[in-house]
Amino acid sequence: MSVRFAPGAVPEYVALLAEVALAPHLGGDVLSGRAVPPPAALVKASVCLNPERRRRTGPVRVLVEEAMRRYPESPPEADGWLAPRLHATLRMTRTEAADPRLWNFLAALVAPDYVVWRHGGTGTTAAARFVGPHYTQAFARLWWAAELFRNGQDYRPVEVACRVQDVLNTTMRLDVLDHRPTARTMTILLERRLAEQPGAVGDWVNAFSAAVNSAGSTLVYDVLAPAPPHDWVGLSDWIAEAEDEPVVPWDRLPSGPDDGEVPDESVQALLPLFERLAKEAPPRKRGRKEA
């Protein structure tokens, strides 16, 4: 029987926890859910941040509990619900989010039970779900999915991307996603594919993603489809609003930062190329499926 996590012991604010401090505690009991990482030792090893409202752990804890309540029998389906809401709750810059110590802290001290619930379907959770890269770690993968696939304030493309696990497991590894028109065009074609041929979408995603990435090594997407300049004022205002914002809504999507949408002309410039890549890309040989 799994050990029940006591959320009352969660630290009030997010801090930074180095992998070297957490990794030794990720033994079989923790990865199987029979125990949780030792909170006292890990809190002591953590580096505190300024105690700003946007860094409160309480709202994150409430979100993961609601996700587990909503999707008790289908943890992967929780990704599309949780990703935009986690992003809108933990408001930060990409530079802040690139620090893996923040995600290590959330996994070990705020919601280790969620990590095991979401990724321990085979009986043992991979340690990388606690301390892995941004496309693997349980919380980083969701926040970055929302960041990379949102279209300005609109999180609807994030829901589309999260419907296919191969997007999070494979596509999110690609550097071309930093180009916002590329990410937006890919979700448009993914949504079409889901509507027309919902079966075996994962195989198609892997092949399509590889083709887009390979083409991007020889074609300069930025020249073909310019990305809008980043609106730092819009992002800063959105982050500052966290001081007064209520908790994110559960039954409708929140609003992301008003930092500019992808121009339609950039999407239209990429669509013919990406449609051809999607049609011509050979299916990739599938390995072990990740959830």
Side-chain angles (χ1 to χ4, degrees), residues 2 5 20 24-25 55-56 59 77 79 97 107 110 127 136 156 163 168 170 176 193 206-207 216 224 235 268 274 285:
S2 297
F5 180 64
V20 68
H25 299 288
R55 296 192 176 114
R56 292 177 304 158
E77 292 184 20
D79 291 350
V110 177
T136 301
R156 286 176 296 176
R163 287 175 60 185
L168 277 70
T170 302
V176 292
R193 177 74 181 202
N206 288 333
L224 183 62
L235 177 62
Q268 295 304 317
F274 282 18
K285 184 177 181 180

Side-chain angles (χ1 to χ4, degrees), residues 33-47:
R34 294 190 299 270
V36 296
L42 295 181
V43 167
K44 186 176 180 180
S46 299
V47 176

Side-chain angles (χ1 to χ4, degrees), residues 38-180:
L42 295 181
V43 167
K44 186 176 180 180
S46 299
V47 176
C48 295
L49 297 168
N50 291 335
E52 301 175 33
R53 183 181 176 90
R54 66 188 176 108
R55 296 192 176 114
R56 292 177 304 158
T57 61
V60 176
R61 183 66 213 178
V62 169
L63 280 178
V64 298
E65 289 180 355
E66 178 63 12
M68 291 188 286
R69 185 192 70 81
R70 287 186 175 227
Y71 303 94
E73 305 301 327
S74 54
E77 292 184 20
D79 291 350
W81 184 88
L82 187 53
R85 291 167 178 83
L86 179 69
H87 186 272
T89 297
L90 289 174
R91 301 188 178 195
M92 65 184 104
T93 65
R94 288 190 176 191
T95 299
E96 291 173 311
D99 191 336
R101 297 177 297 170
L102 182 149
W103 307 114
N104 298 343
F105 183 92
L106 286 176
L109 289 164
V110 177
D113 54 336
Y114 164 80
V115 179
V116 173
W117 171 82
R118 172 61 187 86
H119 296 288
T122 59
T124 301
T125 308
R129 300 301 186 179
F130 282 88
V131 295
H134 77 278
Y135 49 81
T136 301
Q137 203 274 351
F139 289 103
R141 69 196 286 271
L142 297 178
W143 194 96
W144 279 102
E147 174 64 17
L148 293 170
F149 290 110
R150 69 180 174 85
N151 187 21
Q153 294 181 291
D154 186 4
Y155 284 120
R156 286 176 296 176
V158 180
E159 291 185 314
V160 174
C162 289
R163 287 175 60 185
V164 182
Q165 286 301 305
D166 291 86
V167 173
L168 277 70
N169 294 330
T170 302
T171 309
M172 276 190 38
R173 300 169 185 248
L174 307 180
D175 290 339
V176 292
L177 285 187
D178 287 333
H179 182 242
R180 293 175 62 198

